[in-house]
Short mmCIF file of all heavy atoms in Angstrom, two decimals:
data_model
loop_
_atom_site.label_atom_id
_atom_site.label_comp_id
_atom_site.label_asym_id
_atom_site.label_seq_id
_atom_site.Cartn_x
_atom_site.Cartn_y
_atom_site.Cartn_z
N LEU A 1 0.82 -1.21 0.00
CA LEU A 1 0.00 0.00 0.00
C LEU A 1 0.85 1.26 0.00
O LEU A 1 0.36 2.34 -0.36
CB LEU A 1 -0.93 0.00 1.22
CG LEU A 1 -2.02 -1.08 1.22
CD1 LEU A 1 -2.79 -1.08 2.54
CD2 LEU A 1 -2.97 -0.90 0.04
N SER A 2 2.11 1.15 0.39
CA SER A 2 3.02 2.30 0.37
C SER A 2 3.81 2.38 -0.93
O SER A 2 4.75 3.18 -1.03
CB SER A 2 3.99 2.21 1.56
OG SER A 2 3.30 2.17 2.79
N TRP A 3 3.45 1.60 -1.91
CA TRP A 3 4.12 1.58 -3.21
C TRP A 3 4.11 2.98 -3.81
O TRP A 3 3.07 3.64 -3.88
CB TRP A 3 3.40 0.59 -4.11
CG TRP A 3 4.05 0.34 -5.45
CD1 TRP A 3 5.37 0.42 -5.76
CD2 TRP A 3 3.38 -0.05 -6.65
NE1 TRP A 3 5.58 0.10 -7.07
CE2 TRP A 3 4.38 -0.19 -7.65
CE3 TRP A 3 2.05 -0.29 -6.98
CZ2 TRP A 3 4.06 -0.55 -8.95
CZ3 TRP A 3 1.73 -0.66 -8.28
CH2 TRP A 3 2.73 -0.79 -9.25
N PRO A 4 5.25 3.50 -4.27
CA PRO A 4 5.31 4.87 -4.80
C PRO A 4 4.35 5.14 -5.96
O PRO A 4 3.93 6.29 -6.16
CB PRO A 4 6.77 5.00 -5.27
CG PRO A 4 7.52 4.03 -4.41
CD PRO A 4 6.59 2.88 -4.19
N ALA A 5 3.98 4.11 -6.72
CA ALA A 5 3.07 4.32 -7.85
C ALA A 5 1.70 4.80 -7.39
O ALA A 5 0.95 5.41 -8.17
CB ALA A 5 2.93 3.03 -8.65
N PHE A 6 1.34 4.52 -6.14
CA PHE A 6 0.04 4.96 -5.63
C PHE A 6 0.02 6.44 -5.26
O PHE A 6 -1.06 7.02 -5.10
CB PHE A 6 -0.34 4.14 -4.39
CG PHE A 6 -0.77 2.74 -4.68
CD1 PHE A 6 -0.25 1.67 -3.94
CD2 PHE A 6 -1.68 2.46 -5.68
CE1 PHE A 6 -0.65 0.37 -4.20
CE2 PHE A 6 -2.08 1.16 -5.95
CZ PHE A 6 -1.57 0.11 -5.22
N VAL A 7 1.19 7.05 -5.12
CA VAL A 7 1.24 8.43 -4.62
C VAL A 7 0.52 9.40 -5.55
O VAL A 7 -0.36 10.15 -5.11
CB VAL A 7 2.70 8.85 -4.37
CG1 VAL A 7 2.78 10.34 -4.05
CG2 VAL A 7 3.30 8.03 -3.24
N PRO A 8 0.86 9.47 -6.86
CA PRO A 8 0.15 10.43 -7.71
C PRO A 8 -1.34 10.11 -7.85
O PRO A 8 -2.17 11.03 -7.91
CB PRO A 8 0.88 10.31 -9.06
CG PRO A 8 1.59 9.01 -9.02
CD PRO A 8 1.92 8.76 -7.59
N LEU A 9 -1.69 8.83 -7.91
CA LEU A 9 -3.11 8.48 -7.98
C LEU A 9 -3.85 8.94 -6.73
O LEU A 9 -4.98 9.44 -6.80
CB LEU A 9 -3.28 6.98 -8.17
CG LEU A 9 -2.83 6.39 -9.51
CD1 LEU A 9 -3.05 4.88 -9.53
CD2 LEU A 9 -3.56 7.04 -10.67
N SER A 10 -3.20 8.76 -5.58
CA SER A 10 -3.82 9.19 -4.33
C SER A 10 -4.05 10.69 -4.32
O SER A 10 -5.08 11.17 -3.86
CB SER A 10 -2.92 8.77 -3.16
OG SER A 10 -3.39 9.31 -1.95
N ARG A 11 -3.10 11.44 -4.83
CA ARG A 11 -3.22 12.90 -4.83
C ARG A 11 -4.22 13.40 -5.87
O ARG A 11 -4.64 14.56 -5.81
CB ARG A 11 -1.85 13.52 -5.08
CG ARG A 11 -0.92 13.34 -3.89
CD ARG A 11 0.48 13.78 -4.19
NE ARG A 11 1.31 13.72 -2.98
CZ ARG A 11 2.62 13.80 -2.96
NH1 ARG A 11 3.28 13.93 -4.10
NH2 ARG A 11 3.28 13.74 -1.83
N LEU A 12 -4.58 12.56 -6.80
CA LEU A 12 -5.57 12.95 -7.81
C LEU A 12 -6.99 12.50 -7.44
O LEU A 12 -7.92 12.74 -8.22
CB LEU A 12 -5.19 12.34 -9.17
CG LEU A 12 -4.01 12.97 -9.89
CD1 LEU A 12 -3.68 12.18 -11.15
CD2 LEU A 12 -4.30 14.43 -10.26
N THR A 13 -7.17 11.88 -6.29
CA THR A 13 -8.50 11.33 -5.99
C THR A 13 -9.57 12.41 -5.89
O THR A 13 -10.71 12.19 -6.32
CB THR A 13 -8.46 10.52 -4.68
OG1 THR A 13 -7.86 11.31 -3.64
CG2 THR A 13 -7.68 9.23 -4.85
N TYR A 14 -9.25 13.57 -5.33
CA TYR A 14 -10.26 14.61 -5.21
C TYR A 14 -10.69 15.12 -6.57
O TYR A 14 -11.89 15.25 -6.85
CB TYR A 14 -9.71 15.76 -4.36
CG TYR A 14 -10.69 16.90 -4.17
CD1 TYR A 14 -11.98 16.67 -3.70
CD2 TYR A 14 -10.33 18.22 -4.46
CE1 TYR A 14 -12.88 17.71 -3.53
CE2 TYR A 14 -11.21 19.25 -4.29
CZ TYR A 14 -12.48 19.00 -3.82
OH TYR A 14 -13.37 20.03 -3.66
N CYS A 15 -9.75 15.40 -7.43
CA CYS A 15 -10.10 15.87 -8.78
C CYS A 15 -10.78 14.77 -9.59
O CYS A 15 -11.66 15.04 -10.41
CB CYS A 15 -8.85 16.37 -9.50
SG CYS A 15 -8.21 17.93 -8.83
N ALA A 16 -10.38 13.52 -9.37
CA ALA A 16 -11.05 12.41 -10.05
C ALA A 16 -12.51 12.31 -9.59
O ALA A 16 -13.41 12.06 -10.39
CB ALA A 16 -10.32 11.10 -9.77
N TYR A 17 -12.72 12.52 -8.31
CA TYR A 17 -14.08 12.53 -7.76
C TYR A 17 -14.91 13.63 -8.42
O TYR A 17 -16.09 13.43 -8.77
CB TYR A 17 -13.99 12.72 -6.25
CG TYR A 17 -15.14 13.43 -5.61
CD1 TYR A 17 -16.30 12.75 -5.27
CD2 TYR A 17 -15.07 14.79 -5.32
CE1 TYR A 17 -17.37 13.41 -4.67
CE2 TYR A 17 -16.12 15.45 -4.73
CZ TYR A 17 -17.27 14.76 -4.41
OH TYR A 17 -18.31 15.42 -3.82
N LEU A 18 -14.33 14.81 -8.63
CA LEU A 18 -15.06 15.92 -9.23
C LEU A 18 -15.34 15.68 -10.71
O LEU A 18 -16.41 16.03 -11.22
CB LEU A 18 -14.28 17.22 -9.06
CG LEU A 18 -14.13 17.76 -7.63
CD1 LEU A 18 -13.25 19.00 -7.63
CD2 LEU A 18 -15.49 18.06 -7.02
N MET A 19 -14.40 15.09 -11.44
CA MET A 19 -14.52 14.97 -12.89
C MET A 19 -15.26 13.72 -13.33
O MET A 19 -15.71 13.64 -14.47
CB MET A 19 -13.13 14.97 -13.53
CG MET A 19 -12.35 16.26 -13.32
SD MET A 19 -13.21 17.72 -13.92
CE MET A 19 -13.19 17.43 -15.69
N ASN A 20 -15.40 12.73 -12.46
CA ASN A 20 -15.99 11.47 -12.88
C ASN A 20 -17.43 11.63 -13.35
O ASN A 20 -17.87 10.98 -14.31
CB ASN A 20 -15.91 10.44 -11.76
CG ASN A 20 -16.46 9.09 -12.16
OD1 ASN A 20 -17.41 8.60 -11.56
ND2 ASN A 20 -15.88 8.48 -13.17
N GLY A 21 -18.20 12.48 -12.68
CA GLY A 21 -19.59 12.70 -13.10
C GLY A 21 -19.67 13.23 -14.51
O GLY A 21 -20.54 12.82 -15.29
N LEU A 22 -18.77 14.13 -14.87
CA LEU A 22 -18.74 14.67 -16.23
C LEU A 22 -18.41 13.59 -17.24
O LEU A 22 -19.03 13.51 -18.31
CB LEU A 22 -17.72 15.81 -16.30
CG LEU A 22 -17.55 16.48 -17.66
CD1 LEU A 22 -18.85 17.15 -18.09
CD2 LEU A 22 -16.41 17.51 -17.62
N VAL A 23 -17.45 12.73 -16.92
CA VAL A 23 -17.08 11.64 -17.82
C VAL A 23 -18.27 10.70 -18.05
O VAL A 23 -18.59 10.34 -19.19
CB VAL A 23 -15.88 10.86 -17.25
CG1 VAL A 23 -15.63 9.59 -18.06
CG2 VAL A 23 -14.64 11.73 -17.25
N GLU A 24 -18.94 10.31 -16.96
CA GLU A 24 -20.05 9.38 -17.09
C GLU A 24 -21.22 9.99 -17.85
O GLU A 24 -21.84 9.34 -18.70
CB GLU A 24 -20.50 8.91 -15.71
CG GLU A 24 -19.44 8.18 -14.90
CD GLU A 24 -18.86 6.98 -15.62
OE1 GLU A 24 -19.54 6.42 -16.50
OE2 GLU A 24 -17.72 6.60 -15.30
N LEU A 25 -21.53 11.24 -17.56
CA LEU A 25 -22.62 11.91 -18.27
C LEU A 25 -22.30 12.03 -19.76
O LEU A 25 -23.16 11.78 -20.61
CB LEU A 25 -22.85 13.30 -17.68
CG LEU A 25 -23.65 13.38 -16.38
CD1 LEU A 25 -23.63 14.80 -15.84
CD2 LEU A 25 -25.09 12.95 -16.64
N TYR A 26 -21.09 12.43 -20.06
CA TYR A 26 -20.71 12.63 -21.47
C TYR A 26 -20.80 11.33 -22.25
O TYR A 26 -21.40 11.28 -23.34
CB TYR A 26 -19.30 13.21 -21.55
CG TYR A 26 -18.87 13.55 -22.96
CD1 TYR A 26 -19.03 14.82 -23.46
CD2 TYR A 26 -18.32 12.58 -23.80
CE1 TYR A 26 -18.66 15.15 -24.75
CE2 TYR A 26 -17.95 12.88 -25.09
CZ TYR A 26 -18.12 14.17 -25.56
OH TYR A 26 -17.76 14.46 -26.85
#
């Protein structure tokens, strides 16, 4: 769970949460 590859994905979770609705609607 501390794998470095998770770091950028973890930091993008808030923006992913905001943009996912737009992706699904589109």
